[in-house]
Amino acid sequence: MHKRRLAIGTCAALGWALFAGAPAVSGQEVTGQEGGATGAGVPKGVSVSQTMLSAAGGQNQNWLHTNGSYDQSRYYPGKQINTGNVKKLRAAFVVQTEVMESMETAPIVIDGVMYLTTSHNHIYAVDAATGKEFWHYKHKMGPVTTFCCGPNNRGVAISGDKLFMGTLDAKLLAFDAKSGKVLWETQIEDPEKGYSETMSPTVVENKVLIGTNGGEYGIRGFLKAYDAGTGKLLWTFYSIPEQGHEGVWAKTDATGRDMHRDIAAEKAALAQDASFYQTLGGGVWMNPAVDLKTRTAYFVVGNPSPDLYGAKRPGDNLYTNSLVAVDLNKGTHKCHFQYVAHDVWDLDAVSPPILVDVKDKGGKMIPGVIHGGKTGHVYVHDRSNCNLIRFSEAMIPQENMWVLPTPEGARMLPGANGGVEWSPMAFSPKTRMSYALNLHQPMTYHVEEADYPGGSKLWLGGAFKVIPGEKQWGRVAAVNVDDGKVAWKHDTEQPLIGGGLATAGDLFFFGEGNGSFNALDARNGKKLWSFNCGAGANAMPVSYMVGNKQYVAMGCGGNTQLDFKRGNSLFVYTLAD
């Protein structure tokens, strides 16, 4: 039996140690898996053209991208299931996987065939109307994997007759969609230096776009493009530039609030040493949005390393905590906007951006890009230059921002998980609202001096600690992107993490850590339907049709980060006959 060594750091801001009292794990020996695909294969050919991928957001038959389309709006244009009949929604079938672990995946569906992933890099190909298994792939993991927040995988991408998946041991693999056979693999980076892959790739015009995890391990982040046919590297954009990472020495955040920086001390430190860019972090671990008209990829960049101890990294630490746009053909920088310069709170940018037309400051509709922040704001940008047009009202309580961390601990809201964590927002063109899943977790921020320990060791420079006795909860917030007003709120007993789905049937679907999968009226937030799947519903819901019947699918495997109950199932729902 293959064995692999897990170099796992339990990230305090992201991880479950401080939330559930679980210990950090490092260098643990666990049983691995032998690898390869089993099963008879899909009984028909599967192929997706670039035309289909480009038009994915406007059709209701398939779900071809992790977030539905290159715009990433997570909007399903079908309305067979709607506010008038959603109460008749029933479980049609359940896909039970071998993996009882955190599930954050979004399955893709092509002409009645569904592909879903699990933690530890399994892929299942199943009948999207019955759940019948066609094939099952188990990745043969390398000897070392390094990840902070669970062995997650958020899905596969498809182009032509190939599937693509990133792995925990920092590889990119291509598969035959019909059989599950591995066609090629390439090593993206070295897992012993803190790199890993949990995001689903994005494929556009024969380019496979993928970033990296590792912001808690002192990596140098990037977005890379690979040739879909061969796996050859086409370009790399480093989210940490070798020169210019000091930025403009910003004193305030995106909303104009003072961040209490000692700029003079930082400049003096930079003059002594600027080599830290090589370990400055800046992971890119959620999907980019793609504007095919302007040949631009938009993505957000995560936190600097170490998370809390800023003395080791003077300057704004570009492009951490930023929205970034790069040329799709060359991978060159087009524009950026930084939300929090020199972040020492781990309130980084992780929820994937959405491309949508928005009103500019003069009321004119222009191409825009929106992002839901850990800070508790939805940010609305001009797509042409990344400039900020407006930010929303706070979706959750804010308190004592931006107090500096201390050895004893300084209280600040939001806590280090947000706000909006990695959870993808949804946007409905019918309501002009974005829908964001938020967490409220009061925390204290603690700092300590910490030298770079090596890539497979957690490097926080302190800790984030949940305050005992203070209530934690979640909130769905609907924000009008044209004026930044919060239109309605729907609160939950537990913090929310996972994706949302808006539909033309005026519904918003989302899940909770207690197992409830819910449908709200997208216009007013009223709960219309709920089903408990028995484990944390913390994945990303999708919708599709087979024949003349609409289905909604949601993974229920819980969440390592918040220690929600684990499971191993994908539930698929449709209207009762």
Side-chain angles (χ1 to χ4, degrees):
M1 182 67 72
H2 176 72
K3 290 192 174 183
R4 61 192 177 94
R5 176 168 60 85
L6 291 185
I8 307 175
T10 304
C11 172
L14 310 171
W16 33 270
L18 293 178
F19 300 150
V25 182
S26 181
Q28 180 184 6
E29 290 285 343
V30 299
T31 300
Q33 51 212 24
E34 291 303 320
T38 58
V42 179
K44 61 180 180 180
V46 178
S47 185
V48 176
S49 67
Q50 181 58 51
T51 299
M52 292 171 65
L53 289 172
S54 300
Q59 55 79 48
N60 60 14
Q61 193 72 19
N62 299 319
W63 189 270
L64 299 180
H65 301 265
T66 295
N67 292 312
S69 64
Y70 287 129
D71 290 346
Q72 302 202 124
S73 63
R74 306 209 103 254
Y75 177 76
Y76 177 72
K79 54 184 178 181
Q80 184 180 94
I81 301 170
N82 54 60
T83 55
N85 61 19
V86 69
K87 63 183 178 182
K88 298 179 181 179
L89 207 59
R90 300 291 185 270
F93 62 90
V94 179
V95 178
Q96 288 189 302
T97 75
E98 287 186 5
V99 183
M100 183 74 73
E101 184 49 277
S102 181
M103 188 176 285
E104 298 182 357
T105 190
I108 60 172
V109 179
I110 305 98
D111 297 334
V113 180
M114 174 187 288
Y115 298 94
L116 66 139
T117 65
T118 72
S119 285
H120 301 294
N121 296 118
H122 289 228
I123 307 174
Y124 288 84
V126 303
D127 188 307
T130 67
K132 177 184 177 181
E133 183 178 307
F134 297 133
W135 57 260
H136 172 203
Y137 170 82
K138 302 179 184 181
H139 181 56
K140 185 177 181 180
M141 207 70 70
V144 175
T145 57
T146 307
F147 51 89
C148 78
C149 314
N152 302 298
N153 184 273
R154 297 188 184 91
V156 294
I158 190 166
S159 179
D161 58 2
K162 296 183 183 69
L163 299 174
F164 304 89
M165 178 176 68
T167 65
L168 289 174
D169 53 352
K171 294 178 180 178
L172 177 63
L173 278 67
F175 303 85
D176 177 76
K178 182 176 173 65
S179 67
K181 177 183 177 181
V182 176
L183 301 176
W184 56 255
E185 68 174 61
T186 187
Q187 191 72 49
I188 298 172
E189 250 296 351
D190 186 352
E192 293 206 57
K193 294 181 179 179
Y195 294 89
S196 65
E197 298 293 344
T198 58
M199 68 182 289
S200 58
T202 296
V203 188
V204 54
E205 297 178 348
N206 207 44
K207 298 179 185 68
V208 186
L209 307 181
I210 193 164
T212 183
N213 290 22
E216 282 65 52
Y217 296 92
I219 61 154
R220 184 187 182 194
F222 53 74
L223 182 71
K224 294 187 177 186
Y226 291 88
D227 185 287
T230 65
K232 178 184 177 182
L233 180 65
L234 300 175
W235 54 255
T236 300
F237 174 84
Y238 284 106
S239 58
I240 306 297
E242 182 174 352
Q243 296 182 338
H245 51 76
E246 68 275 10
V248 297
W249 304 98
K251 295 182 179 180
T252 61
D253 73 348
T255 69
R257 285 173 287 200
D258 188 356
M259 293 186 294
H260 310 298
R261 293 174 65 182
D262 187 340
I263 300 296
E266 289 185 42
K267 287 184 176 180
L270 182 66
Q272 295 295 316
D273 180 19
S275 64
F276 58 86
Y277 76 90
Q278 299 173 80
T279 57
L280 189 46
V284 179
W285 49 279
M286 295 298 288
N287 293 78
V290 178
D291 187 330
L292 291 172
K293 184 177 180 180
T294 63
R295 319 294 303 158
T296 308
Y298 296 84
F299 56 95
V300 287
V301 181
N303 57 276
S305 300
D307 296 51
L308 293 110
Y309 184 53
K312 288 289 183 183
R313 46 175 175 83
D316 292 353
N317 305 150
L318 290 176
Y319 298 103
T320 65
N321 297 52
S322 297
L323 171 73
V324 178
V326 300
D327 183 278
L328 184 60
N329 296 327
K330 303 175 183 178
T332 51
H333 175 273
K334 282 193 168 185
C335 63
H336 73 275
F337 182 90
Q338 190 172 41
Y339 301 107
V340 182
H342 194 75
D343 174 25
V344 291
W345 305 271
D346 197 41
L347 289 182
D348 50 326
V350 285
S351 181
I354 298 174
L355 305 184
V356 59
D357 288 347
V358 299
K359 287 184 179 179
D360 67 11
K361 293 180 179 179
K364 179 183 176 182
M365 294 297 290
I366 63 169
V369 54
I370 62 176
H371 163 65
K374 278 190 177 183
T375 56
H377 297 289
V378 173
Y379 299 95
V380 180
H381 300 264
D382 184 329
R383 204 183 307 173
S384 69
N385 54 25
C386 297
N387 287 348
L388 185 67
I389 299 172
R390 68 182 61 87
F391 57 91
S392 75
E393 298 173 331
M395 296 181 284
I396 56 167
Q398 296 175 334
E399 180 184 317
N400 212 20
M401 296 180 74
W402 297 91
V403 64
L404 294 176
T406 66
E408 300 75 24
R411 173 189 169 90
M412 188 180 88
L413 298 178
N417 279 323
V420 185
E421 235 287 348
W422 60 265
S423 310
M425 295 196 303
F427 173 81
S428 170
K430 292 183 67 177
T431 64
R432 299 290 302 159
M433 294 179 194
S434 63
Y435 302 90
L437 304 188
N438 286 268
L439 306 92
H440 173 73
Q441 293 180 303
M443 289 186 182
T444 51
Y445 291 78
H446 303 250
V447 66
E448 62 183 30
E449 184 174 350
D451 292 328
Y452 177 58
S456 63
K457 296 181 177 66
L458 195 67
W459 190 30
L460 295 181
F464 325 85
K465 297 183 180 180
V466 170
I467 301 174
E470 291 209 30
K471 185 173 176 57
Q472 303 180 32
W473 44 265
R475 173 172 288 166
V476 180
V479 173
N480 186 313
V481 300
D482 294 324
D483 61 16
K485 301 292 185 183
V486 176
W488 55 257
K489 304 171 185 176
H490 175 89
D491 289 354
T492 60
E493 292 185 357
Q494 295 173 305
L496 291 176
I497 194 166
L501 174 70
T503 77
D506 288 323
L507 295 170
F508 177 71
F509 289 95
F510 75 102
E512 301 180 53
N514 60 15
S516 292
F517 181 48
N518 310 306
L520 307 183
D521 189 318
R523 298 165 297 189
N524 55 35
K526 180 181 178 182
K527 184 186 285 190
L528 302 177
W529 173 86
S530 186
F531 181 96
N532 196 291
C533 61
N538 305 115
M540 297 178 277
V542 308
S543 192
Y544 59 92
M545 294 192 78
V546 178
N548 61 356
K549 185 174 289 190
Q550 181 185 347
Y551 296 86
V552 178
M554 179 63 162
C556 293
N559 181 265
T560 303
Q561 202 165 325
L562 301 184
D563 199 30
F564 289 139
K565 183 180 178 181
R566 307 300 198 277
N568 65 340
S569 299
L570 180 96
F571 281 70
V572 180
Y573 307 87
T574 193
L575 294 173
D577 294 331

